[in-house]
Amino acid sequence: MAVSHLSEDEQTLIEAIREIALERVAPRAAEIDHTGEFPWDMKELLAQQDILAMPFPTEYGGIGASELAVVMAIEELSRQCATTGLILAVQQLGSFPILLAGNEEQKQKYLPPLASGEWLAAFGLTEAGSGSDAAAMKTVAVRSGDKYILNGSKRFITNGGLAQVNSIFALTDPKIGTRGISAFIVEKDFPGFSVGRIEDKMGIKGSQTGELIFTDCEVPAENLLGREGDGFKIAMMTLDRTRPGIGAQALGIAQGALDLAVSYSKQRIQFNRPIADNQGIQFMLADMATGVEAARLLVYNAAEMIDNGEQDFSRYSSMAKMFASDIAMDVTGDAVQILGGYGYMKEYPAERMMRDAKITQIYEGTNQIQRLVIARALLE
Ligand code: CAA
Protein backbone atom coordinates (compact mmCIF):
# COMPACT_ATOMS: atom_id res chain seq x y z
CA MET A 1 0.00 0.00 0.00
CA ALA A 2 1.32 3.39 -0.97
CA VAL A 3 2.14 5.94 1.70
CA SER A 4 -0.78 8.29 2.07
CA HIS A 5 -1.29 11.47 4.02
CA LEU A 6 -4.88 11.09 5.10
CA SER A 7 -6.07 12.60 8.34
CA GLU A 8 -7.07 10.10 11.03
CA ASP A 9 -10.75 10.80 10.34
CA GLU A 10 -10.31 10.18 6.64
CA GLN A 11 -8.41 6.95 7.32
CA THR A 12 -11.34 5.75 9.41
CA LEU A 13 -13.73 6.79 6.64
CA ILE A 14 -11.79 4.88 3.96
CA GLU A 15 -11.65 1.77 6.16
CA ALA A 16 -15.43 2.02 6.61
CA ILE A 17 -15.88 2.39 2.84
CA ARG A 18 -13.72 -0.70 2.26
CA GLU A 19 -16.01 -2.69 4.61
CA ILE A 20 -19.17 -1.32 3.01
CA ALA A 21 -17.82 -2.15 -0.44
CA LEU A 22 -17.05 -5.72 0.62
CA GLU A 23 -20.29 -6.35 2.48
CA ARG A 24 -22.84 -4.39 0.47
CA VAL A 25 -21.41 -3.60 -2.97
CA ALA A 26 -19.56 -6.81 -3.87
CA PRO A 27 -22.65 -9.05 -3.60
CA ARG A 28 -24.51 -6.85 -6.12
CA ALA A 29 -21.76 -6.49 -8.74
CA ALA A 30 -22.57 -9.52 -10.96
CA GLU A 31 -26.29 -8.74 -10.96
CA ILE A 32 -25.73 -5.08 -11.86
CA ASP A 33 -23.59 -6.21 -14.79
CA HIS A 34 -26.13 -8.83 -15.83
CA THR A 35 -29.26 -6.67 -15.75
CA GLY A 36 -27.59 -3.50 -17.02
CA GLU A 37 -29.92 -1.45 -14.86
CA PHE A 38 -28.77 1.60 -12.97
CA PRO A 39 -28.24 0.47 -9.35
CA TRP A 40 -30.43 2.92 -7.45
CA ASP A 41 -29.82 0.91 -4.28
CA MET A 42 -26.08 1.53 -4.60
CA LYS A 43 -26.71 5.25 -5.21
CA GLU A 44 -28.84 5.30 -2.04
CA LEU A 45 -26.15 3.47 -0.10
CA LEU A 46 -23.50 5.99 -1.17
CA ALA A 47 -25.86 8.85 -0.33
CA GLN A 48 -26.78 7.48 3.12
CA GLN A 49 -23.16 6.82 4.03
CA ASP A 50 -22.18 10.39 3.00
CA ILE A 51 -19.87 8.99 0.35
CA LEU A 52 -21.48 11.16 -2.34
CA ALA A 53 -20.97 14.14 -0.04
CA MET A 54 -17.20 13.68 -0.03
CA PRO A 55 -16.27 16.01 -2.93
CA PHE A 56 -18.44 18.90 -1.67
CA PRO A 57 -17.42 21.61 0.84
CA THR A 58 -19.22 21.63 4.17
CA GLU A 59 -20.89 24.99 3.46
CA TYR A 60 -22.82 23.32 0.63
CA GLY A 61 -23.87 20.21 2.53
CA GLY A 62 -20.79 18.14 1.79
CA ILE A 63 -18.16 16.69 4.09
CA GLY A 64 -15.25 18.46 2.40
CA ALA A 65 -13.06 15.41 1.96
CA SER A 66 -9.63 15.73 0.42
CA GLU A 67 -9.20 14.67 -3.21
CA LEU A 68 -6.92 11.91 -1.91
CA ALA A 69 -9.81 10.52 0.15
CA VAL A 70 -12.17 10.82 -2.84
CA VAL A 71 -9.87 8.80 -5.11
CA MET A 72 -9.36 6.20 -2.38
CA ALA A 73 -13.13 5.90 -2.01
CA ILE A 74 -13.56 5.45 -5.78
CA GLU A 75 -10.79 2.84 -5.68
CA GLU A 76 -12.40 0.81 -2.87
CA LEU A 77 -15.83 0.86 -4.52
CA SER A 78 -14.43 -0.02 -7.96
CA ARG A 79 -12.42 -2.88 -6.50
CA GLN A 80 -15.77 -4.59 -5.99
CA CYS A 81 -17.96 -2.97 -8.66
CA ALA A 82 -16.74 -0.46 -11.26
CA THR A 83 -20.29 0.76 -11.96
CA THR A 84 -20.73 1.73 -8.30
CA GLY A 85 -17.34 3.46 -8.17
CA LEU A 86 -18.36 5.48 -11.20
CA ILE A 87 -21.41 6.89 -9.38
CA LEU A 88 -19.07 8.82 -7.08
CA ALA A 89 -16.63 9.74 -9.88
CA VAL A 90 -19.37 11.21 -12.08
CA GLN A 91 -21.06 13.04 -9.21
CA GLN A 92 -17.78 14.87 -8.87
CA LEU A 93 -17.31 15.35 -12.63
CA GLY A 94 -20.80 16.75 -13.24
CA SER A 95 -20.62 19.05 -10.22
CA PHE A 96 -17.10 20.37 -10.64
CA PRO A 97 -17.98 23.05 -13.20
CA ILE A 98 -20.35 24.52 -10.57
CA LEU A 99 -17.76 24.21 -7.82
CA LEU A 100 -15.10 25.83 -9.98
CA ALA A 101 -17.06 28.52 -11.78
CA GLY A 102 -20.44 28.84 -10.11
CA ASN A 103 -21.47 32.03 -8.32
CA GLU A 104 -22.72 31.90 -4.74
CA GLU A 105 -26.36 31.66 -5.78
CA GLN A 106 -25.71 28.78 -8.19
CA LYS A 107 -23.68 26.94 -5.57
CA GLN A 108 -26.35 27.41 -2.88
CA LYS A 109 -29.05 26.18 -5.22
CA TYR A 110 -27.39 23.20 -6.86
CA LEU A 111 -24.65 21.81 -4.64
CA PRO A 112 -26.60 20.74 -1.51
CA PRO A 113 -28.96 18.34 -3.36
CA LEU A 114 -25.95 16.94 -5.23
CA ALA A 115 -23.98 16.51 -1.99
CA SER A 116 -26.90 14.71 -0.34
CA GLY A 117 -27.30 12.44 -3.35
CA GLU A 118 -30.89 13.53 -3.88
CA TRP A 119 -29.86 14.62 -7.39
CA LEU A 120 -27.36 13.07 -9.79
CA ALA A 121 -25.04 15.14 -11.97
CA ALA A 122 -23.78 14.72 -15.54
CA PHE A 123 -21.09 16.38 -17.65
CA GLY A 124 -22.16 17.17 -21.22
CA LEU A 125 -19.13 17.91 -23.39
CA THR A 126 -18.94 15.09 -25.94
CA GLU A 127 -21.01 15.06 -29.13
CA ALA A 128 -21.42 12.56 -31.96
CA GLY A 129 -18.80 14.47 -33.98
CA SER A 130 -16.60 15.85 -31.20
CA GLY A 131 -14.84 13.50 -28.79
CA SER A 132 -11.08 14.03 -28.53
CA ASP A 133 -11.51 17.31 -30.41
CA ALA A 134 -13.87 18.67 -27.78
CA ALA A 135 -13.87 22.14 -29.31
CA ALA A 136 -15.46 20.83 -32.53
CA MET A 137 -18.85 20.81 -30.84
CA LYS A 138 -21.95 21.96 -32.73
CA THR A 139 -24.41 22.61 -29.91
CA VAL A 140 -25.25 26.33 -29.87
CA ALA A 141 -26.64 28.64 -27.22
CA VAL A 142 -28.20 31.90 -28.35
CA ARG A 143 -29.09 34.64 -25.88
CA SER A 144 -32.72 35.71 -26.04
CA GLY A 145 -33.81 38.16 -23.33
CA ASP A 146 -33.30 36.57 -19.94
CA LYS A 147 -32.73 33.11 -21.44
CA TYR A 148 -30.34 31.17 -23.60
CA ILE A 149 -31.86 28.95 -26.25
CA LEU A 150 -29.87 25.72 -26.73
CA ASN A 151 -29.98 23.57 -29.86
CA GLY A 152 -27.92 20.44 -30.50
CA SER A 153 -27.15 17.18 -28.75
CA LYS A 154 -24.59 15.47 -26.53
CA ARG A 155 -23.62 11.79 -26.75
CA PHE A 156 -22.10 9.13 -24.51
CA ILE A 157 -23.10 11.08 -21.42
CA THR A 158 -22.68 9.13 -18.19
CA ASN A 159 -25.88 9.48 -16.11
CA GLY A 160 -27.48 10.95 -19.26
CA GLY A 161 -31.22 11.02 -18.67
CA LEU A 162 -30.86 10.25 -14.94
CA ALA A 163 -29.08 13.40 -13.87
CA GLN A 164 -31.18 16.32 -12.69
CA VAL A 165 -28.20 18.65 -13.04
CA ASN A 166 -26.27 18.69 -16.31
CA SER A 167 -23.18 20.82 -16.89
CA ILE A 168 -23.53 21.52 -20.59
CA PHE A 169 -20.99 23.10 -22.93
CA ALA A 170 -22.27 24.99 -25.99
CA LEU A 171 -21.13 27.56 -28.52
CA THR A 172 -22.19 31.11 -27.79
CA ASP A 173 -19.89 32.40 -30.54
CA PRO A 174 -19.09 29.76 -33.18
CA LYS A 175 -16.57 32.04 -34.95
CA ILE A 176 -13.89 32.21 -32.23
CA GLY A 177 -13.13 28.55 -31.49
CA THR A 178 -12.53 27.49 -27.91
CA ARG A 179 -13.10 31.06 -26.69
CA GLY A 180 -16.66 30.91 -28.02
CA ILE A 181 -17.68 27.99 -25.78
CA SER A 182 -19.80 28.63 -22.68
CA ALA A 183 -20.94 26.42 -19.82
CA PHE A 184 -24.51 26.14 -18.51
CA ILE A 185 -26.35 24.37 -15.73
CA VAL A 186 -29.23 22.62 -17.47
CA GLU A 187 -31.90 20.90 -15.45
CA LYS A 188 -33.59 17.81 -16.77
CA ASP A 189 -37.00 19.49 -16.56
CA PHE A 190 -36.16 22.59 -18.60
CA PRO A 191 -38.45 22.97 -21.64
CA GLY A 192 -36.84 21.57 -24.78
CA PHE A 193 -34.59 19.07 -22.96
CA SER A 194 -35.07 15.44 -23.91
CA VAL A 195 -33.22 12.16 -23.74
CA GLY A 196 -32.37 10.24 -26.90
CA ARG A 197 -30.72 6.87 -27.28
CA ILE A 198 -29.50 4.92 -24.29
CA GLU A 199 -26.33 3.03 -25.20
CA ASP A 200 -25.76 -0.71 -24.92
CA LYS A 201 -22.15 -1.05 -23.76
CA MET A 202 -19.33 -3.58 -23.38
CA GLY A 203 -18.82 -2.85 -19.67
CA ILE A 204 -19.84 -0.64 -16.73
CA LYS A 205 -23.22 -1.93 -17.75
CA GLY A 206 -25.22 -0.59 -14.82
CA SER A 207 -24.10 2.95 -15.54
CA GLN A 208 -26.54 4.70 -17.85
CA THR A 209 -24.95 6.30 -20.91
CA GLY A 210 -27.40 8.50 -22.74
CA GLU A 211 -27.86 11.08 -25.43
CA LEU A 212 -29.08 14.55 -24.41
CA ILE A 213 -31.08 16.49 -26.97
CA PHE A 214 -31.72 20.24 -26.86
CA THR A 215 -34.55 21.50 -29.06
CA ASP A 216 -34.99 25.21 -28.43
CA CYS A 217 -34.15 24.30 -24.84
CA GLU A 218 -34.76 27.27 -22.56
CA VAL A 219 -32.04 27.87 -20.01
CA PRO A 220 -32.32 30.88 -17.68
CA ALA A 221 -29.46 33.34 -18.28
CA GLU A 222 -28.63 33.08 -14.57
CA ASN A 223 -27.56 29.45 -15.26
CA LEU A 224 -24.55 30.55 -17.31
CA LEU A 225 -21.39 29.45 -15.46
CA GLY A 226 -18.79 32.19 -15.27
CA ARG A 227 -18.85 34.46 -18.29
CA GLU A 228 -19.64 33.78 -21.92
CA GLY A 229 -16.57 32.16 -23.47
CA ASP A 230 -15.29 30.60 -20.21
CA GLY A 231 -16.74 27.17 -21.04
CA PHE A 232 -13.74 25.43 -22.63
CA LYS A 233 -11.44 26.39 -19.77
CA ILE A 234 -14.04 25.28 -17.24
CA ALA A 235 -14.24 21.90 -19.01
CA MET A 236 -10.45 21.48 -19.13
CA MET A 237 -9.98 22.58 -15.51
CA THR A 238 -12.68 20.12 -14.47
CA LEU A 239 -11.07 17.22 -16.34
CA ASP A 240 -7.67 18.07 -14.84
CA ARG A 241 -9.24 17.57 -11.43
CA THR A 242 -11.36 14.51 -12.17
CA ARG A 243 -9.01 12.38 -14.30
CA PRO A 244 -7.28 11.02 -11.15
CA GLY A 245 -10.75 9.72 -10.19
CA ILE A 246 -10.89 7.66 -13.38
CA GLY A 247 -7.35 6.53 -12.61
CA ALA A 248 -8.71 5.45 -9.22
CA GLN A 249 -11.57 3.55 -10.83
CA ALA A 250 -9.02 1.73 -13.04
CA LEU A 251 -6.79 1.11 -10.01
CA GLY A 252 -9.71 -0.39 -8.07
CA ILE A 253 -10.62 -2.68 -10.97
CA ALA A 254 -6.98 -3.78 -11.28
CA GLN A 255 -6.69 -4.42 -7.53
CA GLY A 256 -9.90 -6.46 -7.62
CA ALA A 257 -8.53 -8.55 -10.50
CA LEU A 258 -5.23 -9.07 -8.67
CA ASP A 259 -7.05 -10.15 -5.48
CA LEU A 260 -9.02 -12.68 -7.52
CA ALA A 261 -5.98 -14.02 -9.39
CA VAL A 262 -4.02 -14.48 -6.14
CA SER A 263 -6.80 -16.34 -4.35
CA TYR A 264 -7.68 -18.47 -7.39
CA SER A 265 -4.10 -19.47 -8.08
CA LYS A 266 -3.70 -20.69 -4.48
CA GLN A 267 -6.83 -22.84 -4.75
CA ARG A 268 -6.71 -24.16 -8.30
CA ILE A 269 -5.07 -27.59 -8.36
CA GLN A 270 -3.48 -28.85 -11.56
CA PHE A 271 -0.82 -31.55 -11.80
CA ASN A 272 -1.51 -32.26 -8.09
CA ARG A 273 -0.48 -28.83 -6.80
CA PRO A 274 -1.82 -25.28 -6.70
CA ILE A 275 -1.06 -23.42 -9.89
CA ALA A 276 0.50 -20.71 -7.65
CA ASP A 277 3.44 -23.10 -7.19
CA ASN A 278 4.40 -22.52 -10.82
CA GLN A 279 6.95 -19.81 -11.38
CA GLY A 280 5.13 -18.91 -14.60
CA ILE A 281 2.11 -17.87 -12.52
CA GLN A 282 4.21 -16.30 -9.75
CA PHE A 283 5.98 -14.01 -12.20
CA MET A 284 2.66 -12.92 -13.69
CA LEU A 285 1.33 -12.11 -10.20
CA ALA A 286 4.50 -10.22 -9.31
CA ASP A 287 4.25 -8.09 -12.46
CA MET A 288 0.54 -7.45 -11.88
CA ALA A 289 1.13 -6.36 -8.27
CA THR A 290 4.00 -4.08 -9.28
CA GLY A 291 1.88 -2.40 -11.95
CA VAL A 292 -0.99 -1.90 -9.49
CA GLU A 293 1.31 -0.35 -6.92
CA ALA A 294 2.89 2.00 -9.48
CA ALA A 295 -0.56 3.06 -10.65
CA ARG A 296 -1.58 3.69 -7.03
CA LEU A 297 1.40 5.97 -6.46
CA LEU A 298 0.58 8.02 -9.57
CA VAL A 299 -3.12 8.32 -8.69
CA TYR A 300 -2.49 9.29 -5.06
CA ASN A 301 0.27 11.69 -6.13
CA ALA A 302 -2.01 13.54 -8.57
CA ALA A 303 -4.76 13.77 -5.93
CA GLU A 304 -2.32 15.12 -3.35
CA MET A 305 -1.02 17.72 -5.81
CA ILE A 306 -4.61 18.92 -6.18
CA ASP A 307 -5.06 18.97 -2.39
CA ASN A 308 -1.85 20.94 -1.98
CA GLY A 309 -3.03 23.57 -4.45
CA GLU A 310 -0.12 22.95 -6.81
CA GLN A 311 -0.49 24.79 -10.12
CA ASP A 312 1.25 22.50 -12.54
CA PHE A 313 -0.62 19.26 -11.92
CA SER A 314 -2.44 18.77 -15.25
CA ARG A 315 0.16 16.43 -16.74
CA TYR A 316 0.27 14.39 -13.50
CA SER A 317 -3.50 13.90 -13.63
CA SER A 318 -3.12 12.68 -17.20
CA MET A 319 -0.25 10.34 -16.23
CA ALA A 320 -2.32 8.87 -13.40
CA LYS A 321 -5.39 8.26 -15.58
CA MET A 322 -3.37 6.93 -18.51
CA PHE A 323 -1.04 4.64 -16.58
CA ALA A 324 -3.67 3.25 -14.20
CA SER A 325 -6.07 2.48 -17.04
CA ASP A 326 -3.38 0.80 -19.15
CA ILE A 327 -2.40 -1.25 -16.09
CA ALA A 328 -6.05 -2.14 -15.44
CA MET A 329 -6.35 -3.48 -18.97
CA ASP A 330 -3.15 -5.53 -18.62
CA VAL A 331 -3.92 -6.85 -15.14
CA THR A 332 -7.52 -7.83 -15.88
CA GLY A 333 -6.37 -9.61 -19.07
CA ASP A 334 -3.76 -11.50 -17.03
CA ALA A 335 -6.37 -12.36 -14.40
CA VAL A 336 -8.59 -13.88 -17.10
CA GLN A 337 -5.55 -15.85 -18.32
CA ILE A 338 -4.70 -17.14 -14.84
CA LEU A 339 -8.29 -18.28 -14.31
CA GLY A 340 -8.16 -20.01 -17.70
CA GLY A 341 -11.52 -21.34 -18.90
CA TYR A 342 -13.16 -20.07 -15.70
CA GLY A 343 -11.76 -16.63 -16.42
CA TYR A 344 -13.64 -16.51 -19.70
CA MET A 345 -16.94 -17.54 -18.12
CA LYS A 346 -19.42 -15.26 -16.39
CA GLU A 347 -19.27 -17.58 -13.37
CA TYR A 348 -16.22 -15.60 -12.19
CA PRO A 349 -15.87 -11.79 -12.21
CA ALA A 350 -12.58 -11.70 -14.17
CA GLU A 351 -14.21 -11.21 -17.56
CA ARG A 352 -16.46 -8.43 -16.18
CA MET A 353 -13.40 -6.67 -14.77
CA MET A 354 -11.71 -6.88 -18.18
CA ARG A 355 -14.76 -5.40 -19.91
CA ASP A 356 -15.07 -2.69 -17.26
CA ALA A 357 -11.37 -1.81 -17.47
CA LYS A 358 -11.54 -0.99 -21.18
CA ILE A 359 -13.59 2.17 -20.80
CA THR A 360 -11.06 3.70 -18.41
CA GLN A 361 -8.61 3.95 -21.35
CA ILE A 362 -11.25 5.84 -23.32
CA TYR A 363 -13.42 8.19 -21.27
CA GLU A 364 -12.43 11.49 -19.67
CA GLY A 365 -10.04 11.75 -22.62
CA THR A 366 -8.57 8.79 -24.48
CA ASN A 367 -5.11 7.72 -23.40
CA GLN A 368 -3.83 9.18 -26.68
CA ILE A 369 -5.18 12.58 -25.54
CA GLN A 370 -3.51 12.10 -22.12
CA ARG A 371 -0.19 11.55 -23.91
CA LEU A 372 -0.80 14.72 -25.88
CA VAL A 373 -1.49 16.70 -22.67
CA ILE A 374 1.70 15.30 -21.07
CA ALA A 375 3.86 15.96 -24.14
CA ARG A 376 2.53 19.50 -24.57
CA ALA A 377 3.37 20.28 -20.93
CA LEU A 378 6.87 18.87 -21.38
CA LEU A 379 7.55 20.85 -24.52
CA GLU A 380 5.96 24.19 -23.73
N1 CAA B 1 -6.68 24.27 -17.99
C1 CAA B 1 -7.02 25.55 -18.33
N2 CAA B 1 -7.05 25.99 -19.61
C2 CAA B 1 -6.75 25.10 -20.57
C3 CAA B 1 -6.38 23.77 -20.30
C4 CAA B 1 -6.34 23.36 -18.95
N3 CAA B 1 -5.99 22.12 -18.62
N4 CAA B 1 -6.14 23.14 -21.47
C5 CAA B 1 -6.32 24.04 -22.43
N5 CAA B 1 -6.70 25.23 -21.90
C6 CAA B 1 -6.96 26.49 -22.59
C7 CAA B 1 -5.73 26.92 -23.39
O1 CAA B 1 -4.83 27.66 -22.59
C8 CAA B 1 -6.34 27.75 -24.48
O2 CAA B 1 -6.64 29.02 -23.95
P1 CAA B 1 -6.41 30.39 -24.78
O3 CAA B 1 -7.49 30.43 -25.80
O4 CAA B 1 -6.57 31.46 -23.75
O5 CAA B 1 -5.05 30.32 -25.39
C9 CAA B 1 -7.66 27.04 -24.75
O6 CAA B 1 -7.96 26.31 -23.57
C10 CAA B 1 -7.59 26.08 -25.91
O7 CAA B 1 -6.59 25.14 -25.64
P2 CAA B 1 -5.96 24.19 -26.75
O8 CAA B 1 -5.55 25.01 -27.94
O9 CAA B 1 -4.91 23.36 -26.09
O10 CAA B 1 -7.23 23.33 -27.19
P3 CAA B 1 -7.35 22.08 -28.15
O11 CAA B 1 -8.51 22.29 -29.02
O12 CAA B 1 -6.01 21.79 -28.78
O13 CAA B 1 -7.76 20.90 -27.14
C11 CAA B 1 -7.37 18.98 -25.75
C12 CAA B 1 -6.98 20.43 -26.14
C13 CAA B 1 -6.48 18.69 -24.55
C14 CAA B 1 -7.08 17.99 -26.86
C15 CAA B 1 -8.85 18.92 -25.35
O14 CAA B 1 -9.69 19.07 -26.49
C16 CAA B 1 -9.22 17.63 -24.65
O15 CAA B 1 -8.96 17.49 -23.45
N6 CAA B 1 -9.84 16.66 -25.35
C17 CAA B 1 -10.38 15.48 -24.72
C18 CAA B 1 -11.78 15.74 -24.25
C19 CAA B 1 -12.21 14.84 -23.13
O16 CAA B 1 -11.45 14.55 -22.22
N7 CAA B 1 -13.46 14.43 -23.15
C20 CAA B 1 -13.99 13.64 -22.11
C21 CAA B 1 -15.46 13.86 -21.99
S1 CAA B 1 -16.05 13.61 -20.37
C22 CAA B 1 -16.25 11.96 -20.14
O17 CAA B 1 -15.76 11.15 -20.83
C23 CAA B 1 -17.01 11.67 -18.92
C24 CAA B 1 -17.56 10.33 -18.67
O18 CAA B 1 -18.29 9.74 -19.42
C25 CAA B 1 -17.28 9.74 -17.37
Side-chain angles (χ1 to χ4, degrees):
M1 176 69 76
V3 181
S4 76
H5 304 101
L6 287 184
S7 66
E8 236 172 82
D9 280 357
E10 287 194 333
Q11 269 176 36
T12 310
L13 176 65
I14 296 302
E15 274 157 33
I17 293 172
R18 187 174 305 143
E19 295 268 300
I20 291 166
L22 254 179
E23 284 167 20
R24 312 269 305 269
V25 178
R28 282 278 285 124
E31 197 184 0
I32 292 169
D33 178 62
H34 180 67
T35 63
E37 285 164 13
F38 182 78
W40 289 105
D41 58 333
M42 293 295 103
K43 191 277 272 180
E44 278 313 308
L45 177 69
L46 303 195
Q48 280 161 15
Q49 300 290 333
D50 270 349
I51 297 171
L52 288 181
M54 291 176 72
F56 299 91
T58 47
E59 60 267 40
Y60 305 114
I63 61 169
S66 63
E67 191 53 35
L68 179 61
V70 173
V71 298
M72 290 174 93
I74 296 170
E75 174 190 348
E76 290 301 339
L77 296 169
S78 303
R79 187 172 174 179
Q80 310 303 338
C81 172
T83 290
T84 302
L86 188 60
I87 297 175
L88 173 57
V90 175
Q91 197 72 345
Q92 182 172 43
L93 173 71
S95 306
F96 236 117
I98 307 176
L99 274 164
L100 279 175
N103 58 35
E104 196 49 37
E105 223 176 323
Q106 291 167 337
K107 288 181 179 170
Q108 292 288 354
K109 179 169 177 189
Y110 288 106
L111 296 179
L114 291 168
S116 71
E118 184 192 337
W119 287 351
L120 289 173
F123 182 82
L125 180 69
T126 303
E127 299 185 2
S130 71
S132 291
D133 186 5
M137 66 178 63
K138 296 269 185 285
T139 298
V140 289
V142 176
R143 179 87 189 232
S144 165
D146 59 356
K147 292 192 177 70
Y148 283 89
I149 307 298
L150 268 60
N151 278 290
S153 62
K154 297 285 168 183
R155 259 190 93 176
F156 306 143
I157 305 304
T158 306
N159 283 350
L162 302 179
Q164 181 68 22
V165 176
N166 301 275
S167 292
I168 300 295
F169 300 87
L171 294 164
T172 39
D173 187 346
K175 296 185 293 298
I176 52 171
T178 53
R179 293 184 182 189
I181 294 171
S182 301
F184 299 91
I185 307 169
V186 181
E187 291 188 43
K188 193 166 97 165
D189 314 320
F190 284 172
F193 179 100
S194 61
V195 181
R197 59 186 282 164
I198 302 296
E199 306 292 345
D200 187 7
K201 306 186 296 296
M202 174 193 283
I204 52 158
K205 283 193 159 272
S207 177
Q208 179 159 305
T209 309
E211 179 184 23
L212 309 180
I213 301 173
F214 311 98
T215 314
D216 292 329
C217 177
E218 294 176 21
V219 178
E222 70 220 30
N223 279 28
L224 173 72
L225 283 166
R227 289 168 309 175
E228 273 192 23
D230 285 351
F232 195 74
K233 283 193 181 145
I234 296 173
M236 294 300 114
M237 287 167 72
T238 297
L239 290 166
D240 280 346
R241 285 159 181 77
T242 57
R243 284 175 177 153
I246 296 304
Q249 184 193 30
L251 168 62
I253 297 169
Q255 181 67 58
L258 175 62
D259 297 341
L260 176 65
V262 167
S263 75
Y264 182 87
S265 61
K266 289 199 286 194
Q267 284 158 19
R268 173 70 171 167
I269 307 291
Q270 291 291 282
F271 305 105
N272 299 318
R273 56 186 189 167
I275 61 169
D277 283 1
N278 300 315
Q279 206 175 47
I281 297 289
Q282 291 173 2
F283 280 12
M284 282 175 83
L285 293 173
D287 287 344
M288 290 159 77
T290 306
V292 169
E293 196 56 25
R296 179 169 287 119
L297 289 167
L298 279 175
V299 169
Y300 291 4
N301 175 61
E304 291 205 276
M305 288 181 85
I306 294 170
D307 286 333
N308 294 340
E310 291 185 36
Q311 295 302 308
D312 194 20
F313 67 91
S314 176
R315 77 183 85 168
Y316 298 97
S317 278
S318 288
M319 287 177 193
K321 187 273 188 195
M322 177 189 87
F323 188 81
S325 58
D326 285 348
I327 284 293
M329 208 56 233
D330 290 349
V331 167
T332 55
D334 285 348
V336 169
Q337 191 66 25
I338 289 173
L339 268 73
Y342 290 105
Y344 200 70
M345 303 301 152
K346 297 218 174 213
E347 185 184 348
Y348 281 84
E351 63 82 34
R352 183 189 81 232
M353 293 166 168
M354 193 172 110
R355 287 184 287 107
D356 287 346
K358 185 64 208 172
I359 190 60
T360 63
Q361 293 181 304
I362 297 171
Y363 61 17
E364 294 210 21
T366 62
N367 282 0
Q368 287 69 31
I369 289 296
Q370 308 310 324
R371 286 176 172 89
L372 186 143
V373 169
I374 297 162
R376 279 186 182 178
L378 283 174
L379 299 170
E380 74 186 5

